[in-house]
Amino acid sequence: NKLRNYPLSATITSSNPTKKPHLANMKSFIDVAEDSDFSIQNLPYGVFSRDGEDERHIGVAIGDSVLDLSAISHLFTGPALSDHQDVFTQDTLNALMALGRPAWSEARATLQNLLSDDVATLKDDAELREKCFVDRSSVTMHLPVAIGDYTDFYSSREHASNLGSMFRDPSNPLLPNWLHIPVGYHGRASSVVVSGTDLHRPRGQTKPNPDEPPKFGPCRLMDFELEMAFFTGPGNDLGKPITIDNAQDHIFGMVLMNDWSARDIQKWEYVPLGPFLGKNLGTTISPWVVTMDALAPFATPNVVQDPKPLPYLQHEDDYSFDINLAVSIAPEGNEGKVVGQTNFKYMYWTMKQQLAHHTVTGCNVRPGDLMGSGTISGTDPSSYGSMIELSWKGTREVDLGNGETRKFLKDGDTVTMTGYCQGDGYRVGFGECSGKILPPIEE
């Protein structure tokens, strides 16, 4: 029952960042529907607990099942992992992220071998299968990572242009620095939550009337932001930047992200230092981390950047990704309706540029730091990634069906984001990133 010599699948490396082997014929002995997010070509990592138990385990999603890696940690016997099998018995992914790309690719190759329909190790061992597989619908998902720091970028040109048109000059919507640097700000890691966590409408200061003093009370302009985010690892020492040429070796994988936004609170507070209370109420991420190796076959040419960025931000390898994204809103008691559809490939600044810029000062990042993309919008109104754009600052109604319309979110609304890459007969998907807005907490 030895593992066969299966080639590493779609590994992104410095020398060959977009290697795209044919993956469509790879099959698992686990039944996986063609439209399942969790194919053998994917194998995202997450942290889960079994029904009725508190103990957390690292798992991999395959079809409707979760493979408990703590039960098979002894099977990771390759040169990069044989002395680090303990990373699969942890309750977060941080230790695995710290090992670096050779270990990540070896783990993926091992898992694809174990789950292959012509490898007997798991397929023919009923006792081991009973221990290591669990129905995905029966588990509770947790934050996959102990997030030390969280940074949110602002890297969609369409989104930045839309907001600049609303609040500044439609003929010149971008600020002077936007086409030269990946603009970002440091967020609040303590309020990052996993999908399925409900959040209360925040209270804060607003100034609805410019001629009157500010008021304190519940946010009136509650919004979502359709984003993606990546987790870092292994990171860099203080004072030693991550260069654009090796940035990909420090990007473990991606999740969907909803960076909830209290627009009226943000409007009053953001000058001169940027978002604060308008953003720290909560940020929701999807529970399954899709690795960059799984996304490699879906790399697309980067957006042409004009003016050309400074040399420390220049790279020729494709590091944009064809990820179909959608966001829906479900009012209390109603089905959800898709209100926006877009694609990650529209992002102006790449993740490599974001990370290189973040660390060019010598700032150190650590395994499991979270980097948000910023709201992802396309050129068409149906591809906008926030309510402030979809309703154009509250001047238009967004139809939710059944007589329901919205300009901004109401209490009881559930926002759900989805994303997937479409392969030849398979998907590499992210599952859901979902959260519900509850009424403000009474004083």
Side-chain angles (χ1 to χ4, degrees):
N1 290 348
K2 292 183 178 180
L3 302 183
R4 62 181 169 147
N5 186 22
Y6 215 112
L8 295 183
S9 61
T11 301
I12 299 177
T13 65
S14 300
S15 59
N16 189 4
T18 56
K19 181 182 176 185
K20 299 181 181 180
H22 185 64
L23 300 176
N25 293 330
M26 190 182 298
K27 302 296 181 184
S28 174
F29 66 86
I30 300 292
D31 289 333
V32 180
E34 277 197 15
D35 62 351
S36 170
D37 279 348
F38 305 126
S39 60
I40 193 173
Q41 291 86 354
N42 189 355
L43 304 182
Y45 293 94
V47 171
F48 72 97
S49 56
R50 295 173 183 255
D51 188 28
E53 298 181 5
D54 294 328
E55 186 176 1
R56 299 183 181 188
H57 303 261
I58 292 175
V60 161
I62 175 76
D64 294 329
S65 299
V66 177
L67 174 60
D68 186 343
L69 300 193
S70 68
I72 60 164
S73 61
H74 60 286
L75 298 179
F76 292 89
T77 57
L81 288 169
S82 59
D83 292 334
H84 300 285
Q85 293 173 347
D86 61 312
V87 300
F88 300 107
T89 62
Q90 307 295 312
D91 58 5
T92 68
L93 294 171
N94 295 69
L96 174 61
M97 291 175 169
L99 293 181
R101 183 160 298 285
W104 306 340
S105 296
E106 184 179 291
R108 175 172 168 79
T110 299
L111 288 165
Q112 287 184 324
N113 269 283
L114 290 168
L115 292 165
S116 174
D117 63 356
D118 57 359
V119 173
T121 308
L122 288 181
K123 181 180 179 181
D124 294 346
D125 189 333
E127 184 177 355
L128 183 55
R129 287 202 318 273
E130 182 67 24
K131 291 180 181 178
C132 67
F133 284 106
V134 58
D135 191 318
R136 189 160 49 85
S137 66
S138 70
V139 303
T140 298
M141 300 304 298
H142 305 279
L143 278 176
V145 176
I147 302 169
D149 287 295
Y150 159 48
T151 298
D152 194 27
F153 288 92
Y154 187 53
S155 291
S156 164
R157 183 172 186 166
E158 291 75 15
H159 174 69
S161 296
N162 286 339
L163 266 62
S165 296
M166 289 180 206
F167 295 106
R168 291 186 297 275
D169 180 3
S171 64
N172 187 27
L174 296 177
L175 290 171
N177 63 355
W178 200 94
L179 293 172
H180 297 274
I181 61 174
V183 174
Y185 72 96
H186 297 295
R188 182 71 181 171
S190 66
S191 54
V192 177
V193 298
V194 73
S195 177
T197 304
D198 297 337
L199 294 170
H200 289 274
R201 181 179 296 268
R203 296 174 181 270
Q205 279 195 39
T206 62
K207 201 170 191 294
N209 190 326
D211 299 323
E212 297 178 3
K215 299 179 179 180
F216 180 82
C219 161
R220 296 175 298 106
L221 307 180
M222 191 67 200
D223 203 352
F224 63 80
E225 289 189 337
L226 173 56
E227 302 194 23
M228 298 198 73
F230 68 87
F231 282 111
T232 60
N236 58 311
D237 294 329
L238 183 65
K240 296 182 178 179
I242 294 173
T243 68
I244 196 74
D245 293 329
N246 66 11
Q248 68 281 343
D249 296 329
H250 296 270
I251 300 175
F252 177 79
M254 299 181 71
V255 291
L256 302 170
M257 189 173 96
N258 180 357
D259 194 27
W260 302 94
S261 298
R263 297 293 183 190
D264 46 350
I265 295 174
Q266 182 180 347
K267 181 181 178 181
W268 171 232
E269 73 180 0
Y270 84 101
V271 177
L273 294 181
F276 186 35
L277 303 186
K279 293 284 192 176
N280 71 3
L281 63 129
T283 299
T284 304
I285 63 171
S286 52
W288 295 106
V289 185
V290 177
T291 66
M292 300 314 299
D293 283 351
L295 293 171
F298 307 97
T300 64
N302 305 322
V303 172
V304 175
Q305 296 180 328
D306 182 20
K308 195 171 184 178
L310 293 176
Y312 80 97
L313 291 173
Q314 294 177 15
H315 68 97
E316 299 300 324
D317 52 312
D318 295 340
Y319 214 76
S320 296
F321 296 89
D322 184 5
I323 305 173
N324 301 293
L325 299 168
V327 57
S328 65
I329 301 174
E332 188 82 67
N334 290 345
E335 294 292 320
K337 181 177 179 180
V338 173
V339 295
Q341 293 177 291
T342 186
N343 196 294
F344 186 71
K345 67 185 179 182
Y346 299 140
M347 300 302 288
Y348 188 85
W349 295 102
T350 70
M351 292 179 285
K352 289 183 62 167
Q353 291 173 318
Q354 291 169 341
L355 187 56
H357 183 67
H358 195 302
T359 65
V360 72
T361 59
C363 174
N364 54 320
V365 299
R366 295 170 290 190
D369 283 355
L370 183 68
M371 307 281 179
S373 64
T375 304
I376 305 166
S377 293
T379 56
D380 185 87
S382 66
S383 66
Y384 293 165
S386 64
M387 289 300 290
I388 196 170
E389 293 170 277
L390 290 166
S391 72
W392 206 255
K393 203 171 63 170
T395 62
R396 308 170 185 163
E397 297 280 359
V398 178
D399 180 28
L400 301 184
N402 297 316
E404 293 271 6
T405 61
R406 293 287 185 276
K407 294 181 178 179
F408 290 92
L409 298 175
K410 293 185 178 181
D411 295 345
D413 286 349
T414 297
V415 177
T416 300
M417 298 171 179
T418 58
Y420 68 91
C421 306
Q422 185 61 57
D424 182 8
Y426 69 92
R427 282 185 176 182
V428 170
F430 292 79
E432 291 187 349
C433 176
S434 185
K436 182 177 180 179
I437 294 298
L438 301 178
I441 297 175
E442 295 297 328
E443 294 179 335

